[in-house]
């Protein structure tokens, strides 16, 4: 794909930064970042922020920039537009080390104790209670359907967990590594509203689980020409019309000891409602809600803003974790929502082939614990802990 100049931000979910040195390590960009962080430290800027939610979000944003500075490209980020790590000069390496130290200490300075992190609001519930969104799907143009029963005690939504074997066993869902484990992703599914549809959906889920287990256990692995894969495709096409899926992303924070603490603050929600498979792109409904700081801090809509039909939007995962760009600051052209969804969800097979294993009763901690374990094994997290404990100069 050709790249084009584009400006994103500042109110975006993930930092609009590429991995290339010019964005933070050269010229005025570096000087500005260094000076602001130095002023923040000297004037004890963290003491000026009393609102726990604002402190948590500031830490979240600093953490994302820290991870981008460490220059890790996820091994499973197969849609990264050919992004490559830059070769840094000695001066740039020195500047990267300096900024990493400053950011790590700012992250520690704004850290909240676990007791306060646990009290951060459940913004999904706040979004539902705000009345700003429809509790039932209407059409693609409305783009404001937010299931009101997702987190009810007797919720009809089943939670889908990552496979226990195969390529996704360590980190969980594909998205986890892309955002470097700073968020917990959970997937939910629900069959069509009718009793018949609900029964068909449960049968499909059982068959899909067996099909995946056969595929993961086959000698051919994920060979697209294998019989196991063909069976998987046949199973996926049996998905009942009207089935719904939700991908929920929630913020993780760090306490003063740099321990990982999942929160209930929602960063994004993606919803898909399946239509007839003979006309997939036209008949399926895609919804997406993005984290909006202004709404969040104003206590409106749970901080969530729906993405509207036709809105310009990064394609695939190009702005998940960080903005993918070339050395000139150019990115793959933005596409129209929901057309950009079809890159990864053009067929039912593409939607689930790397993540679904089994559905069951919801377990808020299961995927979260798995995500935290993965993050604790990463070098960027170990580096953050080391730098945060370094005595400030």
């Amino acid at each position: 794909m050709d790249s084009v100049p584009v400006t994103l931000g500042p109110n975006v979910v993930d930092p609009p930064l590429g991995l290339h040195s010019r964005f933070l390590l050269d010229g005025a960009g570096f000087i500005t970042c260094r000076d602001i962080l130095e002023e923040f430290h000297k004037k004890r800027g963290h003491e000026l922020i009393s609102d726990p939610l604002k402190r948590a979000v500031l830490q979240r944003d600093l953490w994302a920039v820290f991870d981008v500075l460490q220059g890790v490209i996820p091994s499973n980020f197969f849609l990264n537009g050919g992004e490559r790590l830059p070769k840094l000069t000695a001066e740039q390496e020195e500047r990267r080390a300096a900024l990493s130290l400053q950011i790590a200490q700012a992250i520690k300075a704004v850290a909240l104790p676990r007791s306060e992190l646990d009290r951060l609001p459940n913004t999904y519930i706040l979004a539902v209670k705000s009345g700003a969104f429809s509790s039932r799907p209407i059409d693609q143009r409305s783009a404001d359907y937010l299931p009101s029963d997702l987190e009810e005690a007797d919720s009809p939504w089943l939670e889908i967990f990552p496979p226990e074997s195969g390529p996704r066993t360590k980190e969980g869902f594909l998205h986890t590594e892309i955002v470097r484990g700073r968020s917990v992703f959970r997937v939910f599914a629900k069959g069509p509203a009718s009793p018949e549809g609900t029964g068909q959906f449960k049968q499909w889920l059982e068959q899909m689980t067996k099909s995946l287990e056969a595929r993961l256990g086959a000698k051919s692995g994920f060979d697209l020409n294998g019989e196991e894969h063909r069976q998987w495709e046949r199973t996926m096409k049996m998905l009942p019309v009207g089935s719904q899926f939700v991908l929920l992303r929630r913020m993780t924070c760090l306490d003063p000891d740099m321990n990982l603490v999942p929160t209930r603050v929602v960063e994004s929600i993606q919803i898909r409602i399946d239509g007839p498979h003979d006309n997939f792109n036209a008949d399926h409904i895609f919804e997406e809600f993005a984290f909006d700081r202004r709404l969040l801090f104003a206590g409106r809509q749970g901080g969530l803003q729906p993405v509207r039909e036709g809105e310009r939007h990064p394609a695939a995962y190009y702005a998940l974790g960080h903005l993918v760009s070339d050395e000139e600051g150019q990115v793959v052209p933005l596409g129209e929502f929901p057309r950009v969804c079809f890159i990864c969800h053009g067929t039912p097979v593409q939607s689930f082939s790397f993540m679904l294993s089994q559905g069951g009763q919801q377990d808020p901690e299961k995927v979260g614990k798995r995500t935290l374990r993965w993050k604790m094994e990463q070098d960027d997290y170990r580096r953050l802990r080391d730098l945060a404990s370094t005595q400030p100069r």
Side-chain angles (χ1 to χ4, degrees):
M1 296 184 182
D2 294 330
S3 296
V4 297
V6 67
T7 299
L8 289 178
N11 194 34
V12 290
V13 177
D14 294 293
L17 298 167
L19 291 173
H20 298 282
S21 56
R22 58 169 297 193
F23 296 104
L24 288 175
L25 304 179
D26 287 339
F30 168 75
I31 294 171
T32 299
C33 291
R34 179 200 62 190
D35 291 351
I36 289 175
L37 288 164
E38 183 175 349
E39 181 182 10
F40 183 85
H41 168 63
K42 288 183 176 179
K43 295 186 177 180
R44 300 182 66 82
H46 62 282
E47 295 180 352
L48 301 176
I49 311 170
S50 58
D51 184 339
L53 188 57
K54 290 183 178 180
R55 287 176 71 110
V57 171
L58 175 58
Q59 185 194 67
R60 169 201 183 274
D61 292 341
L62 288 168
W63 191 9
V65 175
F66 178 90
D67 276 359
V68 171
L69 269 177
Q70 308 319 301
V72 179
I73 296 181
S75 60
N76 59 19
F77 201 1
F78 55 90
L79 291 175
N80 67 352
E83 187 178 31
R84 296 291 182 270
L85 283 173
K87 184 175 178 58
L88 301 184
T89 65
E91 182 181 40
Q92 289 168 342
E93 286 286 9
E94 184 177 336
R95 289 178 170 183
R96 178 167 73 166
L99 279 185
S100 294
L101 175 60
Q102 286 182 299
I103 294 173
Q105 293 179 344
I107 288 172
K108 184 177 177 66
V110 298
L112 295 166
R114 179 163 194 136
S115 59
E116 290 196 58
L117 291 173
D118 288 342
R119 287 197 298 269
L120 291 178
N122 184 333
T123 55
Y124 190 97
I125 297 298
L126 293 180
V128 169
K129 290 183 176 179
S130 73
F133 310 112
S134 172
S135 61
R136 61 183 182 86
I138 302 174
D139 54 36
Q140 187 66 66
R141 194 166 41 183
S142 300
D144 65 351
Y145 164 57
L146 192 64
S148 59
D149 56 355
L150 183 67
E151 297 202 320
E152 290 182 351
D154 55 349
S155 174
W157 291 84
L158 302 175
E159 185 164 6
I160 301 293
F161 301 108
E164 296 298 330
S165 61
R168 295 273 70 77
T169 55
K170 290 185 177 180
E171 71 272 27
F173 295 120
L174 172 70
H175 308 70
T176 301
E177 188 181 347
I178 298 175
V179 302
R180 301 303 303 153
R182 296 187 307 275
S183 303
V184 173
F185 291 90
R186 297 174 67 194
V187 176
F188 304 91
K190 185 173 76 169
S194 66
E196 181 183 52
T198 300
Q200 291 174 347
F201 178 78
K202 288 183 177 180
Q203 291 178 3
W204 170 82
L205 196 60
E206 292 174 0
Q207 183 59 41
M208 179 272 296
T209 301
K210 294 177 182 178
S211 180
L212 176 61
E213 289 173 348
R215 187 178 176 195
L216 292 173
K219 293 182 179 179
S220 58
F222 282 84
D223 180 3
L224 298 183
N225 296 317
E227 175 55 33
E228 295 80 11
H229 180 79
R230 288 190 289 271
Q231 176 58 41
W232 171 265
E233 287 185 312
R234 289 192 291 268
T235 302
M236 293 308 306
K237 290 177 180 178
M238 294 167 56
L239 180 64
V241 171
S243 298
Q244 301 182 32
F245 297 87
V246 171
L247 175 66
L248 179 66
R249 175 185 177 184
R250 280 192 158 122
M251 178 174 78
T252 294
C253 286
L254 296 151
D255 70 11
D257 295 321
M258 295 292 100
N259 296 314
L260 301 159
V261 182
T263 77
R264 297 178 296 174
V265 176
V266 175
E267 295 171 302
S268 68
I269 303 170
Q270 294 179 5
I271 301 170
R272 174 183 137 184
I273 305 169
D274 276 54
H277 297 297
D278 55 350
N279 194 11
F280 188 88
N281 293 357
D283 295 329
H284 285 55
I285 295 176
F286 292 91
E287 308 269 16
E288 184 166 343
F289 296 82
F291 173 81
D292 186 298
R293 293 162 187 78
R294 293 167 295 195
L295 291 173
L296 180 65
F297 299 149
R300 296 169 51 202
Q301 300 180 191
L304 297 177
Q305 184 74 268
V307 179
R308 299 294 179 184
E309 184 179 30
E311 187 173 325
R312 306 298 290 177
H313 195 277
Y317 300 127
Y318 287 115
L320 185 60
H322 70 274
L323 180 66
V324 175
S325 64
D326 62 21
E327 294 181 3
E328 301 304 316
Q330 297 180 334
V331 302
V332 173
L334 301 182
E336 290 187 359
F337 184 83
R339 287 182 175 273
V340 291
C341 303
F342 303 151
I343 294 175
C344 295
H345 299 277
T347 70
V349 179
Q350 289 174 321
S351 300
F352 308 102
S353 59
F354 288 99
M355 70 179 191
L356 296 186
S357 66
Q358 59 182 349
Q361 295 303 309
Q362 296 187 20
D363 185 346
E365 295 186 359
K366 182 173 181 178
V367 178
K369 288 180 178 178
R370 191 164 168 177
T371 301
L372 302 191
R373 284 197 301 269
W374 180 86
K375 182 62 174 177
M376 287 189 289
E377 295 174 355
Q378 305 309 306
D379 289 340
D380 49 16
Y381 174 66
R382 296 189 183 105
R383 180 170 173 75
L384 173 60
R385 289 181 64 100
D386 290 343
L387 291 176
S389 63
T390 301
Q391 189 65 31
R393 290 174 293 181

